[in-house]
Amino acid sequence: MSEDATTAESDSVTATYRETDTERLLVFRRDGSEAAIAQNIEGYAMLKVRDGADGDELERYYGFDMALDHAGELLGVASHDLPVPEAAADMGM
């Protein structure tokens, strides 16, 4: 997968950012597992951490760092090891 504004990769994690009609969605994949961070399309609401793009909401956070920590825990990696595509860098409040 090539890296651009909407994708990023680390050694073991692939991240994809996309927008739907209602959400900004950042999905991390590692070894068959997923963790997702979602925010409303306007980009001002709390971040929702899910166990996948369409998965159950597990927790809400104001800050992107806290959401990344939770996503990292779900995937078994440190949050600083999660690649963040450029388009998703401004998520959070």
Side-chain angles (χ1 to χ4, degrees):
M1 178 183 298
S2 65
E3 196 163 310
D4 60 31
T6 60
T7 61
E9 292 184 33
S10 69
D11 289 335
S12 64
V13 181
T14 301
T16 306
Y17 172 83
R18 65 184 166 95
E19 294 181 0
T20 69
D21 290 340
T22 59
E23 292 184 316
R24 300 176 70 197
L25 188 60
L26 176 57
V27 180
F28 298 100
R29 291 179 182 86
R30 178 178 185 249
D31 297 332
S33 296
E34 281 190 354
I37 299 174
Q39 186 175 38
N40 71 3
I41 195 68
E42 291 84 13
Y44 64 81
M46 292 179 78
L47 299 164
K48 300 173 224 172
V49 175
R50 299 179 185 150
D51 57 3
D54 296 321
D56 294 329
E57 180 181 323
L58 303 172
E59 192 68 58
R60 290 184 184 212
Y61 298 98
Y62 285 110
F64 193 38
D65 289 344
M66 295 297 293
L68 287 172
D69 277 347
H70 193 163
E73 287 177 18
L74 291 172
L75 297 175
V77 298
S79 61
H80 63 268
D81 291 332
L82 294 175
V84 177
E86 184 181 329
D90 66 343
M91 291 179 81
M93 298 181 78

